[in-house]
Amino acid sequence: MNTVKRAIIMAAGLGERMHPLTYEIPKPLIPVNGVRMIETVIEGLLVNNIREIHIVVGYMKEKFDFLKTKYPEVSLIENPFYKECNNISSLYSAREYLEDCIILDGDQIIYNTSILSPEFELSGYNAIWCEGKTEEWLMQVENGIVTGCSRNGGEHGWQLYSVSRWSAEDGKKLRKYLETEFLEKKNRQIYWDDVAMFCYPEEFRLGIREMNAEDVVEIDDLKELAAIDNTYNKYL
């Protein structure tokens, strides 16, 4: 059994699909029904006694500074590549913390903190069973092991969510291949998840952490935000 010792929260992006809100505030700091999205993530980690929390920042990085005072467990890591590169650059910036870690996006809302529990057997992603059609990344799983993934979605599979755990061994491999892709191959327009799922799938034996759709909400655009918090209807 492995245990998460640290967390990496991805929060460097521009949040372009949330304009005009994100002209003035980074997406993870947007309040939803009175609570900032990233704070539901931080609080969920603390409830699970994960107390080493690294937040990767870029866009409007100074607006995250208050979190270091409010939460002494938080440190900020600057991603200097956030404007030109995809989110592989954010995990590359935090690569020294990948062993025994949980990686999360800062622009989601955690409703059930138990989905962030630190104990795990296999590295891999939180996922929900998707019977019908989805356009999200969809994993195929056999006997608890991920055997494939579709970027274009599909049906009858496990929808991947932006919560993943990595053992010490897999964290070392993930760092190695991040450096290969980002530094050596200059492959900077991919998602960091591509590294394990598509670039080097043979190097990882990934499992899943089952959860329910209502446990977490990923907000992609203003329409989805307004559906949860009607005070944002004026932006539609």
Side-chain angles (χ1 to χ4, degrees), residues 18-174:
M18 299 289 278
H19 289 169
L21 280 176
T22 48
Y23 287 139
E24 297 183 358
I25 185 172
K27 184 182 174 185
L29 296 181
I30 293 174
V32 181
N33 295 315
V35 183
R36 297 178 184 92
M37 287 190 274
I38 198 169
E39 291 200 61
T40 72
V41 178
I42 295 170
E43 295 285 356
L45 293 168
L46 295 176
V47 165
N48 283 284
N49 203 32
I50 300 170
R51 314 196 77 81
E52 179 186 336
I53 302 172
H54 305 283
I55 302 176
V56 185
V57 297
Y59 178 62
M60 294 189 182
K61 61 183 180 181
E62 69 282 353
K63 290 190 178 288
F64 292 89
D65 286 343
F66 77 96
L67 292 173
K68 295 187 293 182
T69 301
K70 186 171 183 178
Y71 302 100
E73 300 85 357
V74 162
S75 68
L76 303 182
I77 298 171
E78 182 180 354
N79 171 9
F81 313 101
Y82 76 93
K83 288 183 181 179
E84 297 84 23
C85 303
N86 209 329
N87 76 0
I88 186 175
S89 63
S90 283
L91 201 61
Y92 173 80
S93 299
R95 63 194 182 281
E96 65 181 279
Y97 302 108
L98 289 174
E99 296 178 32
D100 294 317
C101 80
I102 185 169
I103 305 171
L104 318 91
D105 282 353
D107 57 353
Q108 57 188 329
I109 305 169
I110 305 297
Y111 287 115
N112 178 4
T113 58
S114 69
I115 68 169
L116 305 184
S117 60
E119 291 77 23
F120 66 105
E121 292 189 17
L122 294 176
S123 301
Y125 290 81
N126 279 33
I128 64 167
W129 174 253
C130 185
E131 187 68 27
K133 185 75 173 176
T134 180
E135 296 181 357
E136 303 294 335
W137 285 24
L138 201 66
M139 297 179 289
Q140 300 303 316
V141 179
E142 295 180 12
N143 299 319
I145 305 298
V146 176
T147 58
C149 182
S150 168
R151 285 191 186 88
N152 301 316
E155 53 189 346
H156 309 301
W158 290 93
Q159 182 179 330
L160 178 154
Y161 274 73
S162 300
V163 178
S164 63
R165 296 166 180 81
W166 301 86
S167 67
E169 179 183 359
D170 287 333
K172 289 176 183 177
K173 289 192 288 186
L174 187 56

